[in-house]
Amino acid sequence: MRSEALTPSAAGARAITLRQAILEAIGEAMEADPAVVMIGQDLGAFGGPLKSAEGLFTRFGPSRIIETGICESSMTSLAVGMAVQGMRPIVEIMFSDFLPIAATAIVQLAANLRYYSGNTGSVPMVIRTKGGDGPYRAHPQNYEALFAHSPGLIIVSPSDAVSAKGLMKSAIAANDPVLFIENIFLYNAFRESVPAGDIVVPLGKAATAREGTDVTIVTYGRTVRTAIAAANELARNSIDVEVIDLRTIAPFDEEAVLRSVKKTGRLVVAHEAWEVGGIGAEIVSRVTRKAFGSLVCAPELIGAPAVPVPFAEPLRDVMIPNVARITAAVMRVLPR
Amino acid sequence: MRSEALTPSAAGARAITLRQAILEAIGEAMEADPAVVMIGQDLGAFGGPLKSAEGLFTRFGPSRIIETGICESSMTSLAVGMAVQGMRPIVEIMFSDFLPIAATAIVQLAANLRYYSGNTGSVPMVIRTKGGDGPYRAHPQNYEALFAHSPGLIIVSPSDAVSAKGLMKSAIAANDPVLFIENIFLYNAFRESVPAGDIVVPLGKAATAREGTDVTIVTYGRTVRTAIAAANELARNSIDVEVIDLRTIAPFDEEAVLRSVKKTGRLVVAHEAWEVGGIGAEIVSRVTRKAFGSLVCAPELIGAPAVPVPFAEPLRDVMIPNVARITAAVMRVLPR
Amino acid sequence: MPVGSPRAREWTLEELCGLHRAMVVSRGIERACIEKSGHWYPSLGEEGVIIGTFSQLRPDDAAVPHYRGGLVVPWLRGRSLVQVLGCVTPSQTSPTRGRMYGGFAGGMEFGVMPFITNVLGPNIAVATGMALSFKIRRESRVAVVTFGDGTAGTGEFHESLNMGAALGAPVVYVCQNNGYSISTETQRTLAGKSVADWASRYGMPTALVDGNDVLAVAEAVGNFVARARAGGGPAFIEAKTLRRGGHFGADPGAYMSDEHTRAAEDSDPIRRLEQVLSQRGCEDSRIKSVWATVAGELADAVAKADAQPALTCHDLGLDEIFQHAI
Amino acid sequence: MPVGSPRAREWTLEELCGLHRAMVVSRGIERACIEKSGHWYPSLGEEGVIIGTFSQLRPDDAAVPHYRGGLVVPWLRGRSLVQVLGCVTPSQTSPTRGRMYGGFAGGMEFGVMPFITNVLGPNIAVATGMALSFKIRRESRVAVVTFGDGTAGTGEFHESLNMGAALGAPVVYVCQNNGYSISTETQRTLAGKSVADWASRYGMPTALVDGNDVLAVAEAVGNFVARARAGGGPAFIEAKTLRRGGHFGADPGAYMSDEHTRAAEDSDPIRRLEQVLSQRGCEDSRIKSVWATVAGELADAVAKADAQPALTCHDLGLDEIFQHAI
Ligand SMILES: Cc1ncc(C[n+]2csc(CCOP(=O)(O)OP(=O)(O)O)c2C)c(N)n1
Ligand SMILES: Cc1ncc(C[n+]2csc(CCOP(=O)(O)OP(=O)(O)O)c2C)c(N)n1
Ligand SMILES: [Mg+2]
Ligand SMILES: [Mg+2]
């Protein structure tokens, strides 16, 4: 399995979930640096929604795990104030549905501060949230593209436990605001071997989740795993797919994407979010503009169709890029 | 001039500004239908910011021109409630800077209601705002792409007085929410001959602002006029540019764009907003996916570089697609 | 208020029985939903606020219920139990057609606003806007909105009450205060004395009532609705109730105080109304038969709702996003 | 409060002269800015609130001024007038380097928060967060934020005060209430008695002061700052002042009542402090010389700021968006 490939069998590695890996990163960062604090709703006895803060309150107490009422907008602005004063707040927005409430604080305040202040201030802040379709089907929004039009903001979404830990560490260490999106479906879906202590997974760098020569699939989050499954299926027909896991969605690793497309000449982009106006449009556009000559055929984009995300399973299942949809897209970019 | 071409020299046509054309549309709609009301800040004696509501309060009084305090978020949700109850509210968000505050109301409430309610309800509402760089250089945000990832929402931005009037009429008449963006630079920049009474300019339809055969420029708002100026300049070198004015930015008129690109084989997209994650990415992506075979070279995208919009003129001028930048982009897509 | 204390108005036995039956139906619906999903947000024990409030509206008034317990509100206005349960087992014939989480369904055909976004707060403004429409059109309709104590801490709450007051909208705001916002005792995150105290600062009449006394709620809501209908403008009620159990069905609520849990058990609003009914001479057997009848109706409704034709991928409704294709 | 009425604390003549000079500088800066642009938002007549507030901080306290009149605040902390004026005539050496509208510049090197977004409201929460940092780190610093009466109507105001109170942040909130939000008399859109009355409901001490009495403002701010510094938590001040003229320089303010305009003229905070100075034996000539000196300094600063090397398209700073290139 892929997790094997990614994980050096380091001393102290244990099989943990993506959720636990993120918690481990936060816990280690909080141990190492008193400036790291967390702020959000129900982080105490409840342990955060979906146990996203499990154990932290007991370890770090109310002055570092700060509970507020329902006020995502001002809570995020408040965290900007903390960051400006040298703290490293991690803002917990329970679910991505609530990101638009904090849009002003994220897009207009956090993202702009370094530039507008002429580098006299900075916002070392992580906004973490949970989104995407999951086992209990609530809070299925994928709003990352709403924030990918904001110079100054970094957006991250991990697909596996090891990189989740490493990316969270990098996000906390960064001196710029990072929107960190944790996919609900992946939250407890698997256990992977994750080393204790520091793992360095840099922001802004994509990973080649699977090497291949025939077609490039660019994706992130949950869809990385679906793409790998599709690639494995296609491999049985001797179709060799390369899967690029963006990890950082914005600004994305243009170099890695272009390198792969230049090799394969064929591009499929896949994500859970709406196709229209989504991250995929930016990737297709960038590749087309920068590597038009390498493309042998029209790129394919697989995402959600243009309706609000419905609740019922039979409807939701049409929205999400599954193995069949991705496989079909790969077939469309191959010569018949 | 272009305004000539667009304007039937109808009886009662007068030379008015884009701002006046929009006001005329609103005034006529309010005369015709008591359900049309306007809500916002400083709409009374002040006449709205930049005189965007000039004269309306005197004509229609406080029960139809409703003044609130500074509360864009709840004001927009309040208007959704009015729309659900059969009114046709026009929400005035003073400047596009303040759109993110109302993101939840627009993206999650207004855009979703028809679909989620299984067509048992609808939101006939216009959210009008002013944005883009203008003569006094305040409020230069171009946030349309933040809202173009929301199935259920229509986004409009006119480039001339006639279509501004017609599009506002269509927006008010529509039984779905319309975000209507009025470009500050264009607000009082010119006078065009606009017929009194009804003009029909449908939502969702682009206009060919200039016919040409060599290169397609897809654009909207202020940049339409810059593109036409660039095209006129290029015409002197016998380069024949077609300019497509999207008018409706989302969902955009795919058919019109593809038709033009199929004719010219060369695409330049230009807008004032940031290049990264912008409307242009969606257009380049869509065209590439749907008309790859027609493209003879890489499309070009001209927008703002990836920094927060700065204030000072020498810096702001680098951000905005001017004739030189557009001309250069056209030259890049032509054979050397 | 102890049982039998003087009431603000006369209640006929029939009216009391109507309220009782509605509360029993509400509880039955919730029980059925909890059985269906551990992620249901139950309103058990909060029926006094829900029924006390929404029973006091005219059919043409706008109802904007809180997400917790809102499923019964369209039933009060005529939606069949099969349709109510259908919201929770989405099918081709269910009201939501599977598009929304059942508890958020509302029912616009019945003048009941759905929870279109699960963002807490905006519906307070939505109700204010509905009320404002009625005022502008000089209709004698009012809007009534319920929301939680957690929700009362949002900026939307304050902005909405301020607009409601400044514009004189005929709206009644009811805070269904069950003491908790998920795991948070709201008294810990809401600074000050009470939500009612906040509301009073917008210059509107406010009342603090025992939310587990359905009659007290109904009387307060009835008064304020009449006042709003007569052009008196908005009003606010804080109805104190108690959340019985965790935030969702599968949440054991381990963080809740024993005191809260005991108080919730002790002050069951249905039992309290039943005491009133007894005092008014209503026989025990009659009360019991209500429970039995409702249980039967619900079992039947669940079965019928479950038997509706299942949704398929073809029911997505790609062309139902705009009125006219764009 | 009439001139000469008993004060809450003793003021040395030197202190009084310091406040006076600062107010004269503030007015001079504003006059210079109005001359430069009709779209400047002047703080003429509001110096009592601005100087009264920000003079009472320690240099390491966080200052988060309202956009109207904020330009003087970094000067109070040592920014030269050339640099202050440079914010308004952006150049290669000006603090903002042309990136922000001058009036929003702040000065983070001086602990003065800029108006990063021109959205009104968020800075109230920003100040609260700064204060919370100080508390967490057990520093004895405080944060002070000013904001307009229009801004006090935002949900951000309420959420921020609530958080400040619930978390015990050492922050002093000061409403620079000039009666207007652009053309809107805020008493028309803010329901209730006063902003102070709203704030008092968050369980923090509040004061309503005459904002045109710089000493009253300074005394109230000084008290609350000391209280916050000592661990007493947040406090609120509503300082009533009067906007002198339209919203921006070129706005004639035709919608403003004559009453308001007359009152604004009559209660000039600088003139009022000058009366106190006279009573304290400060000679007229000395007062006049302050005006003259400041005028000279400003003329010089304007000239020097105007002469700085102009920005070019190469100053955009495409690589200054992140600390490390991504
Ligand atoms: C803006 C927003 N933030 C967070 C949530 C997540 N959330 C769902 S229910 C809930 C608690 C709400 O408390 P309250 O308003 O008291 O209603 P109750 O659940 O007690 O009925 C929260 C925080 C949300 N829905 N909306
Ligand atoms: C959220 C938001 N809405 C609207 C505006 C536009 N606007 C700029 S200044 C102003 C008036 C602010 O009034 P107040 O807070 O009293 O400050 P004052 O101008 O009186 O100093 C408004 C509405 C804004 N900046 N932010
Ligand atoms: Mg509650
Ligand atoms: Mg004001």
Side-chain angles (χ1 to χ4, degrees), chain B residues 210 215-219 223-224 226-228 230-231 234 241-246 260-261 264 266-270 326-327 330:
Chain B
R210 185 189 195 279
V215 174
T216 299
I217 302 181
V218 176
T219 181
T223 317
V224 172
T226 320
I228 292 171
L234 288 158
V241 173
E242 179 144 307
V243 178
I244 304 288
D245 176 356
L246 287 180
S260 178
V261 173
T264 65
R266 298 166 201 279
L267 173 66
V268 172
V269 181
I326 293 178
T327 308
V330 169

Side-chain angles (χ1 to χ4, degrees), chain B residues 124-316:
Chain B
M125 165 165 100
V126 178
I127 302 127
R128 72 183 286 228
T129 193
K130 294 165 278 300
D133 185 37
Y136 74 104
R137 308 194 86 75
H139 307 294
Q141 305 302 336
N142 298 283
Y143 281 148
E144 52 273 18
L146 271 57
F147 296 86
H149 188 52
S150 293
L153 182 68
I154 300 162
I155 310 180
V156 167
S157 192
S159 67
D160 63 87
V162 176
S163 72
K165 180 173 176 184
L167 287 165
M168 180 52 92
K169 286 223 152 175
S170 297
I172 297 171
N175 286 325
D176 287 297
V178 178
L179 175 56
F180 195 99
I181 301 175
E182 305 168 18
N183 184 281
I184 296 178
F185 182 87
L186 301 181
Y187 227 40
N188 298 302
F190 50 80
R191 288 177 180 275
E192 287 174 337
S193 181
V194 176
D198 262 2
I199 314 175
V200 178
V201 181
L203 301 179
K205 292 278 169 250
T208 304
R210 185 189 195 279
E211 286 200 31
T213 53
D214 297 337
V215 174
T216 299
I217 302 181
V218 176
T219 181
Y220 58 89
R222 169 181 180 182
T223 317
V224 172
R225 304 180 86 93
T226 320
I228 292 171
N232 289 340
E233 204 160 277
L234 288 158
R236 283 191 241 130
N237 300 319
S238 306
I239 298 166
D240 191 18
V241 173
E242 179 144 307
V243 178
I244 304 288
D245 176 356
L246 287 180
R247 290 179 171 175
T248 296
I249 303 173
F252 77 86
D253 188 344
E254 181 182 302
E255 201 184 306
V257 170
L258 293 182
R259 199 187 315 121
S260 178
V261 173
K262 282 176 182 162
K263 176 171 72 175
T264 65
R266 298 166 201 279
L267 173 66
V268 172
V269 181
H271 54 53
E272 209 181 318
W274 288 303
E275 277 166 21
V276 67
I279 300 286
E282 176 63 25
I283 295 165
V284 170
S285 163
R286 197 86 67 88
V287 169
T288 313
R289 286 155 50 215
K290 306 253 168 131
F292 186 78
S294 306
L295 282 174
V296 298
C297 65
E300 283 283 333
L301 173 57
I302 302 296
V307 289
V309 186
F311 179 78
E313 294 199 26
L315 309 183
R316 288 269 284 276

Side-chain angles (χ1 to χ4, degrees), chain D residues 46 66 68 148-151 176-182 186 243:
Chain D
E46 304 186 23
H66 186 42
R68 191 184 296 281
D149 43 329
T151 310
Q176 180 174 333
N177 184 346
N178 63 5
Y180 280 92
S181 175
I182 306 188
T186 47
R243 199 180 73 195

Side-chain angles (χ1 to χ4, degrees), chain A residues 41-42 70 72 94 98 101, chain C residues 46 66-68 118-120 148-151 178 180-182 186 243 247:
Chain A
Q41 298 142 22
D42 299 290
I70 306 175
E72 286 80 1
M94 288 193 159
F98 313 135
I101 314 174
Chain C
E46 303 184 25
H66 186 40
Y67 80 94
R68 191 184 295 282
N118 55 33
V119 171
L120 292 165
D149 41 333
T151 309
N178 62 7
Y180 279 92
S181 173
I182 305 189
T186 47
R243 200 181 73 194
H247 173 51

Side-chain angles (χ1 to χ4, degrees), chain B residues 37 39 63-64 66-68 70-75 77-87 104 108-109 111-122 151-154 174-176 203-204 248 251, chain C residues 61-62 95-97 99-100 107-109 111 113-114 116-119 122-123 125-134 136-137 141 155-156 159-160 162-164 167 315-318 320-324 326:
Chain B
V37 297
I39 182 161
S63 77
R64 298 196 49 203
I66 302 159
E67 288 193 284
T68 73
I70 306 175
C71 55
E72 287 81 0
S73 162
S74 56
M75 175 179 84
S77 295
L78 176 139
V80 170
M82 298 183 83
V84 162
Q85 290 295 351
M87 305 297 283
T104 291
Q108 301 185 268
L109 202 49
N112 288 351
L113 192 136
R114 178 186 295 280
Y115 181 81
Y116 276 158
S117 75
N119 215 16
T120 59
S122 62
L153 182 68
I154 300 162
N175 286 325
D176 287 297
L203 301 179
T248 296
Chain C
D61 288 337
T96 64
R97 287 152 71 202
R99 292 182 185 174
M100 294 185 77
M108 300 194 91
E109 328 82 284
M113 180 70 190
I116 292 294
T117 164
N118 55 33
V119 171
N123 265 5
V126 166
T128 309
M130 292 175 161
L132 190 58
S133 306
F134 304 152
I136 292 171
R137 294 195 301 245
R141 297 159 70 189
E156 292 282 300
E159 290 185 359
S160 301
N162 183 60
M163 276 196 294
L167 300 170
D315 297 310
L316 193 58
L318 281 176
E320 294 178 53
I321 182 91
F322 294 118
Q323 182 180 38
H324 304 294
I326 294 261

